[in-house]
Amino acid sequence: MGGADIRILDAPKDELRAWWNLLSPTNRKLVEGHIGRLLPLLEVKVRTGLVRALAHFWCPETSTFIFGKHELTPTLEEYSVLIGKPLESELVTPPLGIDSTLMLAEFLNVGKDELGKVLKANRGTCPFSFLSQCFEKATSFQKGKIFLLAFFGFMIFPHCKNACSPSIAWLVQQVCLEKNFGNTILVETFISLIKFKQHVDKTFHAPLELLQIWFLSHIKGCGDLLTISELSDSSHPILSYKEKQGNTPDYHYSEWIIFMKNARPQGFYWHANWFKVEEARLTCNGVGPVPLLGFTGAIEYYPARVSRQYQILQGLPPALQPELLRVDFADDDKNHEGTVAQLNKM
């Protein structure tokens, strides 16, 4: 396909499972209440050949995967069902104007100077080894908070190898206030794919397992494994996939490339077998793309281009307004409060 493959960061799943086993029943219930249905991701194996092939078919201009003449993309509604968090709640906001070192120090119950030395020695990141030391010394309640921080910092929004961004403490604090992070996962997925295709950043900074489950649920022969009649905490796509992942194909990268290049509409379940939502937000105020607010940036996407996923005939896609809403919160200009406020109202 040309160009290097997308870089996949391995999450410390074995360690996180060990931490989970050390949490009290009360802490486990509290953690599960915050992370929705994402815990089984610790047991899901990433099919690297699939993910790397899939990234090459992403179109930055449309925020969709394009297979021949057909488009497919994760939508807000699909990801909210996967994650188990409703779309109506207030959104997580980016860490603009936040002292990330102080916030992380308070979160971990360590001194700011001590943490500052750790971050300086690790190029501004917090290594998993330091979190592990904090976890061992923590009280029962604090262990639950540190588990949440590591889960989001390494499983959901991986930053770099063996270390997480200090600003993840800001996100977890908001998650503990019941703010919606599903929107953020979708945005960071899109941003990672766009930066990969534009040769800006080759690392994937969103949950690969979630993208993998979403894609396979739309493929005939794989989607059959994820047929769910009634969604619940004991019956949902991630858990179903975890239990049946041994039956999913583990093709080589080149085999997935060939499959995606030659994809036929008859090979897709456009409406995933677990997806029961009948309505979707296809536009914003009747026109244009739908704006999405993320943790490191904002972006627009075009769900009307994939209306076929909602059992609506997919006709000619609407006109594009490329880069209408794209904002990078990591750039030199930190004055994005107005943009965040505007997107929160949409």
Side-chain angles (χ1 to χ4, degrees):
M1 296 295 295
D5 289 326
I6 200 162
R7 182 170 177 244
I8 295 173
L9 299 173
D10 294 326
K13 292 183 178 180
D14 291 341
E15 292 85 349
L16 288 174
R17 286 195 295 266
W19 286 13
W20 176 256
N21 292 332
L22 293 174
L23 296 183
S24 68
T26 301
N27 253 333
R28 291 184 186 181
K29 187 175 181 180
L30 187 66
V31 168
E32 288 182 311
H34 291 317
I35 65 176
R37 295 169 176 158
L38 294 179
L39 187 66
L41 291 182
L42 289 174
E43 307 287 345
V44 171
K45 178 183 177 182
V46 175
R47 309 288 186 178
T48 55
L50 164 61
V51 173
R52 285 178 171 143
L54 188 59
H56 285 288
F57 289 83
W58 182 256
C59 178
E61 291 75 24
T62 62
S63 293
T64 63
F65 294 104
I66 298 181
F67 307 108
K69 297 180 180 179
H70 303 282
E71 296 179 78
L72 194 70
T73 198
T75 65
L76 278 170
E77 290 76 15
E78 287 179 315
Y79 260 43
S80 69
V81 173
L82 275 171
I83 296 165
K85 289 289 184 179
L87 291 172
E88 292 75 23
S89 53
E90 185 181 353
L91 298 179
V92 164
T93 56
L96 300 177
I98 302 298
D99 185 340
S100 298
T101 302
L102 176 60
M103 178 159 289
L104 182 59
E106 293 176 347
F107 202 93
L108 296 174
N109 196 29
V110 299
K112 183 180 179 181
D113 291 341
E114 177 189 355
L115 178 61
K117 292 178 182 178
V118 173
L119 298 181
K120 184 177 180 180
N122 291 274
R123 299 182 178 181
T125 64
C126 181
F128 184 81
S129 57
F130 182 72
L131 292 184
S132 185
Q133 294 173 18
C134 294
F135 185 86
E136 291 175 2
K137 299 175 184 177
T139 63
S140 177
F141 176 72
Q142 289 173 332
K143 286 182 187 295
K145 292 180 62 178
I146 297 173
F147 178 90
L148 272 173
L149 189 141
F151 186 84
F152 277 97
F154 291 90
M155 284 293 302
I156 309 304
F157 302 109
H159 181 65
C160 61
K161 187 176 181 180
N162 301 325
C164 67
S165 169
S167 61
I168 204 70
W170 167 247
L171 184 144
V172 175
Q173 185 182 70
Q174 294 181 88
V175 168
C176 290
L177 295 174
E178 304 302 329
K179 291 190 177 182
N180 186 354
F181 59 87
N183 190 92
T184 303
I185 290 179
L186 192 62
V187 177
E188 298 306 319
T189 298
F190 287 0
I191 289 176
S192 287
L193 289 166
I194 288 169
K195 289 185 175 181
F196 165 70
K197 290 303 293 284
Q198 294 178 342
H199 308 290
V200 175
D201 183 0
K202 298 291 185 181
T203 303
F204 200 91
H205 299 292
L208 289 162
E209 296 87 351
L210 212 59
L211 180 63
Q212 172 180 296
I213 293 170
W214 166 82
F215 177 72
L216 290 175
S217 71
H218 282 279
I219 304 301
K220 288 186 177 178
C222 303
D224 293 322
L225 300 173
L226 297 175
T227 301
I228 299 171
S229 58
E230 185 176 351
L231 291 165
S232 67
D233 289 339
S234 60
S235 178
H236 58 85
I238 299 176
L239 182 61
S240 177
Y241 180 84
K242 185 204 83 171
E243 294 172 346
K244 300 174 183 178
Q245 62 183 322
N247 298 326
T248 58
D250 191 12
Y251 298 145
H252 188 269
Y253 166 83
S254 59
E255 294 176 290
W256 279 116
I257 289 289
I258 293 171
F259 170 81
M260 294 174 193
K261 274 186 174 180
N262 299 289
R264 299 288 183 268
Q266 297 81 4
F268 290 99
Y269 283 123
W270 296 100
H271 198 73
N273 287 331
W274 49 264
F275 188 58
K276 310 301 178 182
V277 178
E278 296 179 355
E279 296 181 356
R281 187 180 184 189
L282 297 181
T283 60
C284 179
N285 297 324
V287 294
V290 173
L292 295 179
L293 173 65
F295 193 57
T296 66
I299 198 171
E300 75 282 350
Y301 91 129
Y302 300 85
R305 297 185 70 95
V306 292
S307 56
R308 189 172 187 176
Q309 289 175 228
Y310 295 94
Q311 298 178 325
I312 304 170
L313 182 63
Q314 187 174 8
L316 291 175
L320 287 173
Q321 300 178 56
E323 301 186 7
L324 178 67
L325 299 166
R326 295 187 185 179
V327 179
D328 185 357
F329 296 138
D331 62 21
D332 293 333
D333 180 11
K334 300 297 182 182
N335 186 27
H336 295 304
E337 285 82 358
T339 302
V340 171
Q342 178 184 1
L343 292 174
N344 264 320
K345 294 177 181 178
M346 291 183 174

